[in-house]
Amino acid sequence: MRICILGGDGYLGWPTVMHFSARGHEVVAVDSMIKRHWEAVVDVAPLELTPPLQDRAAHWYKKTGKVVEVVVGDIATDPELLHHLFRDYQPEVIVHYAEQPSAPYSMMNQNAAIHTQQNNIIGNLNVMFAMHDFCPQAHLIKLGTMGEYGTPNIDIEEGWIEIEHKGRKDRMLYPKKAHSLYHLSKVADSNNLEFGCRIWNLSVTDLNQGVVYGIDTPEMDNDPELRTSFHYDDIFGTVLNRFVVQAAIGNPLTVYPKKSS
Ligand SMILES: NC(=O)c1ccc[n+]([C@@H]2O[C@H](COP(=O)([O-])OP(=O)(O)OC[C@H]3O[C@@H](n4cnc5c(N)ncnc54)[C@H](O)[C@@H]3O)[C@@H](O)[C@H]2O)c1
């Protein structure tokens, strides 16, 4: 299949690129490299140096003979990039990871919150419009997060909930109760995607993914030239990765307690 990975320079993006490429699919990796800029802004770095995406793609080619095309561009501020890519490449599958992924980052200050929502919500809308106009048969796999649901006092349903209200019934998106402005950007994405499926007949999997952890996949093969960006800091490090590092160096795990009232 022709697969387009948006956010291909990221923690999940690069292993996904290799996973599909190794299985013989044609893969294009798109990234603005903006995460590397955000890291510099908040003064954190991945555990180990992560080679540039172009270098990793070149090394992957040397090692496996498989070509990964790299496109550098911003899907939130440059909608034409997606127009050209989707029109010319005609992806059958689009995996969309290209968002600001951190709740703590989104809650640092007003600028970071607004930037997170602009980047994520507009980028996702640009993907939807480009699919609608140039590759309506493609299937989109969009990474949302488990945190969209929050911690409601009723059972969480898989995406949808049947509601009976004043004697009438309907099936609606499960109401979301996010805990950060990052998570709320994902809730907006989910609503926009549901609209795209319902009104435009887009085909979408909105994956409300839980925390991903670990540092390698079979394709990475312990090769430093193929490693992915691994964060363990308090801004971009997902909690399980922070625990893994703390356990490895024998530090107590920083479990966040509930405030007692
Ligand atoms: N890592 C997890 O545990 C986890 C869990 C649930 C959901 N997610 C979601 O999965 C996605 C990927 O997560 P990750 O951990 O790989 O994050 P990441 O920050 O490592 O990767 C995201 C990539 O997208 C790129 N990007 C961001 N905005 C862009 C834009 N406008 N145009 C082009 N490129 C852009 C960044 O430069 C970065 O390389 C995110 O949407 C995140 O919210 C991640």
Side-chain angles (χ1 to χ4, degrees), residues 63-205:
K63 206 163 169 171
T64 64
K66 295 182 187 294
V67 177
V68 167
E69 203 183 316
V70 173
V71 174
V72 178
D74 189 319
I75 65 160
T77 59
D78 184 8
E80 304 254 301
L81 171 97
L82 291 174
H83 297 177
H84 292 140
L85 184 65
F86 289 2
R87 188 192 58 211
D88 299 343
Y89 184 64
Q90 286 295 309
E92 291 157 277
V93 174
I94 301 151
V95 182
H96 177 17
Y97 292 127
E99 297 202 337
Q100 193 294 99
S102 160
Y105 181 92
S106 77
M107 301 301 289
M108 282 188 324
N109 55 48
Q110 184 175 351
N111 278 346
I114 290 173
H115 179 52
T116 298
Q117 294 226 342
Q118 279 177 336
N119 184 66
N120 294 1
I121 298 169
I122 296 174
N124 186 62
L125 279 169
N126 285 340
V127 172
M128 286 172 55
F129 272 91
M131 280 180 73
H132 173 265
D133 292 345
F134 299 104
C135 56
Q137 305 306 325
H139 185 82
L140 173 66
I141 297 173
K142 161 67 170 56
L143 265 280
T145 153
M146 193 62 206
E148 290 184 44
Y149 290 108
T151 47
N153 200 30
I154 55 173
D155 288 352
I156 294 175
E157 300 298 330
E158 191 72 39
W160 303 91
I161 188 167
E162 297 270 348
I163 292 187
E164 188 169 346
H165 181 61
K166 297 190 177 172
R168 296 168 71 196
K169 282 189 186 164
D170 207 344
R171 176 175 174 267
M172 326 189 86
L173 276 189
Y174 186 91
K176 308 276 177 87
K177 217 173 166 186
H179 285 305
S180 80
L181 289 156
Y182 152 72
H183 289 106
L184 276 169
S185 74
K186 300 281 191 185
V187 174
D189 289 345
S190 293
N191 282 317
N192 289 341
L193 290 168
E194 190 272 340
F195 174 88
C197 294
R198 185 162 39 89
I199 305 296
W200 293 344
N201 215 18
L202 293 185
S203 169
V204 177
T205 300

Side-chain angles (χ1 to χ4, degrees), residues 10-12 31-32 34-35 74-75 97-98 101 119 144 182 186 212:
Y11 172 60
L12 301 182
D31 208 296
S32 62
I34 194 167
K35 174 70 172 301
D74 189 319
I75 65 160
Y97 292 127
N119 184 66
Y182 152 72
K186 300 281 191 185
V212 181

